[in-house]
Amino acid sequence: MTQVPLPLLVPAPGFPPLGSELRVLHLEDNMLDQELVAMALETADLPWTPVLRQVDNADAYLAALSDFSPHLILSDFSLPSYDGLSAFEAARSELSYLPFIIVTGAMGEEVAVDTLRRGITDYVLKQRLERLIPAVRRAIGEAAERSRRELAENEIRALNTALQTRLEEVERLGKLAEEGRLKLEETARQLAEALKLQKTFLAETSHELRTPLTALLGYLRRVEREFAQVGAAPSQTLKDAQRVAENMTRLVNDLLQLSRGELVQSIEPHFINLGELLRAVGRDYNIDVRTPDLEIVGDPGRLTQVFVNLVSNAVRVSGGADQVGIEASEEGGRVRVCIVDHGPGIPDEIKPRIFDKFFRGKEAGSAGLGLTIAQQAVAAHGGEIHVLDTPGGGATFEVSLPALDDEDEWDAQEAEINANRADIASESGQEA
């Protein structure tokens, strides 16, 4: 007998894998026909082990659908109290692709076509039971293939639904991203306009301040000449007033430079006593200064500007001169100056930004340029500036500058300062 090849190479859901049990439900009221079908299944060369349950009425059949869970149904077309088409409809309500074969004694051609049209897998005449085993093979293979196809179609539909959902989500996110981009562009435009207005205001204000400061310096120098004409030495108060006016003039010029995007470049190195410079700043702000005499090479005007900016910020933020002090020392070939305050301190998240141009913290009263100028002036001297936490609360600005051990180091110090000035100028595209 020629065997029908099985398309069922991979087990499908609801169908037995090769070598396992094949549960067959047989609806038949004729005992002889039951035995003939059972014999055909038991002697057949099937890739499964047939397990047969035979029933002869509707109740037993419907119960077996639930508790037996058949892989295959064989049914007579006509029974005394039931019929094959009703049995098929009941089976299809349980599992749409369950293979169902009619095994009957006689069936007209029109009836046979009608049963196949309704979805019955196949039919076999009892007088030709040699067709039963090939029909079983074919029925299970086709049903399993249909099961896999339906499963694949369901998976494809689920995948398409998921992809459609993803596409909709991508479109939604794309719209949000576009809206965000437009908002960022508008914010950037507003910030650029605000920065332009700030620079314009700063430049105009600097120009306005230079005139009265120039006049003030002229008056102070006239008073100094009048002292000289009468042979009297100028008082310390007059010297301090001249120094403050010169520092203010330098500050205004730097503000004007920074408003144009330029860096602090004009450094005029001299031998200076940094200790005296710090004590003078301390007198101006009435703060405690603890420093020995420290000789370095640097620009006294620029360094005064650095420490004035740092001290004035510290006094403003901490709330009073009694909360601020200066400590200086020399160690390891470096001069270390600390401006210590006991104010509210600086949060860690803004420490990296405090030296940025125009950056202002929560405290009011500054243009956001003092620390920028201080950092650039210190860098031009070959030094570094850092902000630390003060023990017990507050902030400490630490300035480190090259120390001068003897006069022979002057050339090396001057070369280092000039190199730093050139580096800063090249970064900004300016001439040193």
Side-chain angles (χ1 to χ4, degrees):
M1 182 183 296
T2 303
Q3 294 184 348
V4 177
L6 283 176
L8 184 60
L9 300 178
V10 180
F15 292 92
L18 301 181
S20 64
E21 292 183 345
L22 176 67
R23 295 188 297 274
V24 181
L25 178 60
H26 185 198
L27 176 59
E28 175 61 66
D29 63 337
N30 187 298
M31 187 173 296
L32 178 59
D33 290 339
Q34 288 183 350
E35 292 176 357
L36 290 174
V37 168
M39 185 181 302
L41 290 173
E42 291 170 359
T43 59
D45 183 18
L46 289 172
W48 309 283
T49 302
V51 176
L52 186 63
R53 176 177 291 189
Q54 294 176 321
V55 294
D56 59 5
N57 59 72
D59 292 339
Y61 171 78
L62 296 175
L65 284 178
S66 299
D67 58 34
F68 186 58
S69 299
H71 299 116
L72 168 69
I73 297 176
L74 306 177
S75 174
D76 194 359
F77 185 72
S78 178
L79 291 90
S81 60
Y82 205 42
D83 63 85
L85 291 178
S86 298
F88 170 70
E89 294 296 335
R92 188 166 61 177
S93 66
E94 293 289 331
L95 193 61
S96 62
Y97 44 77
L98 185 62
F100 194 101
I101 299 176
I102 294 290
V103 182
T104 185
M107 179 180 287
E109 185 176 342
E110 292 184 3
V111 175
V113 172
D114 182 60
T115 57
L116 295 177
R117 186 183 295 115
R118 287 172 178 263
I120 290 176
T121 310
D122 205 347
Y123 70 93
V124 176
L125 298 177
K126 292 179 180 179
Q127 59 269 30
R128 297 188 63 185
L129 280 181
E130 69 274 9
R131 290 190 60 251
L132 178 61
I133 301 307
V136 167
R137 289 172 173 270
R138 184 171 55 252
I140 293 180
E142 291 176 357
E145 185 64 29
R146 186 163 59 250
S147 171
R148 280 197 298 271
R149 186 168 59 250
E150 289 182 5
L151 180 62
E153 290 173 353
N154 289 335
E155 291 178 348
I156 291 174
R157 281 193 291 269
L159 180 60
N160 287 337
T161 301
L163 288 176
Q164 183 63 32
T165 302
R166 286 288 186 89
L167 287 174
E168 292 173 356
E169 180 67 12
V170 168
E171 290 179 358
R172 186 184 68 84
L173 293 176
K175 291 179 181 178
L176 290 177
E178 180 63 17
E179 292 174 0
R181 184 186 67 80
L182 294 176
K183 289 181 180 179
L184 285 175
E185 288 181 354
E186 177 62 19
T187 301
R189 186 192 64 77
Q190 293 176 354
L191 287 175
E193 185 176 347
L195 185 60
K196 181 179 179 180
L197 291 174
Q198 187 179 38
K199 289 182 177 181
T200 301
F201 171 77
L202 190 59
E204 292 176 353
T205 303
S206 300
H207 279 294
E208 293 296 326
L209 288 175
R210 283 207 295 183
T211 300
L213 282 174
T214 301
L216 177 60
L217 274 174
Y219 291 139
L220 291 174
R221 287 168 182 159
R222 179 183 298 176
V223 172
E224 185 180 22
R225 289 195 298 271
E226 290 175 354
F227 270 92
Q229 289 174 359
V230 298
S235 66
Q236 184 63 44
T237 301
L238 178 60
K239 292 180 180 179
D240 288 344
Q242 285 180 315
R243 178 172 49 79
V244 171
E246 289 170 355
N247 290 337
M248 287 297 297
T249 301
R250 178 73 65 87
L251 174 61
V252 169
N253 289 335
D254 286 342
L255 291 176
L256 187 58
Q257 274 188 306
L258 285 170
S259 70
R260 297 168 179 168
E262 300 172 355
L263 295 169
V264 174
Q265 299 172 21
S266 55
I267 299 294
E268 299 178 3
H270 300 280
F271 288 107
I272 61 173
N273 187 329
L274 185 61
E276 290 183 357
L277 186 150
L278 295 174
R279 286 189 285 270
V281 173
R283 287 196 303 271
D284 291 341
Y285 288 90
N286 194 28
I287 64 172
D288 181 50
V289 179
R290 299 178 185 180
T291 176
D293 288 338
L294 300 167
E295 191 172 72
I296 66 170
V297 173
D299 185 324
R302 289 296 185 191
L303 291 176
T304 298
Q305 186 179 14
V306 168
F307 295 112
V308 165
N309 286 349
L310 296 177
V311 169
S312 62
N313 280 347
V315 171
R316 183 181 70 253
V317 171
S318 61
D322 58 334
Q323 301 294 315
V324 182
I326 298 178
E327 300 173 0
S329 61
E330 180 180 345
E331 49 188 62
R334 306 287 291 182
V335 172
R336 178 173 173 268
V337 182
C338 293
I339 291 81
V340 183
D341 74 62
H342 297 281
I346 300 174
D348 291 339
E349 61 269 17
I350 71 170
K351 283 179 182 177
R353 302 177 55 201
I354 60 173
F355 295 105
D356 293 347
K357 191 192 304 182
F358 301 119
F359 177 77
R360 300 176 63 184
K362 293 182 179 179
E363 73 280 355
S366 74
L369 290 170
L371 294 180
T372 303
I373 294 172
Q375 183 188 51
Q376 294 176 357
V378 170
H381 281 81
E384 297 177 349
I385 182 170
H386 304 284
V387 59
L388 312 170
D389 292 329
T390 301
T396 296
F397 282 84
E398 180 184 87
V399 176
S400 175
L401 296 168
L404 180 64
D405 292 335
D406 54 54
E407 293 185 7
D408 292 337
E409 295 189 9
W410 159 257
D411 292 337
Q413 291 276 36
E414 184 178 33
E416 181 179 1
I417 290 174
N418 288 334
N420 287 325
R421 291 167 57 192
D423 289 342
I424 293 174
S426 64
E427 289 175 1
S428 63
Q430 310 269 344
E431 291 295 333

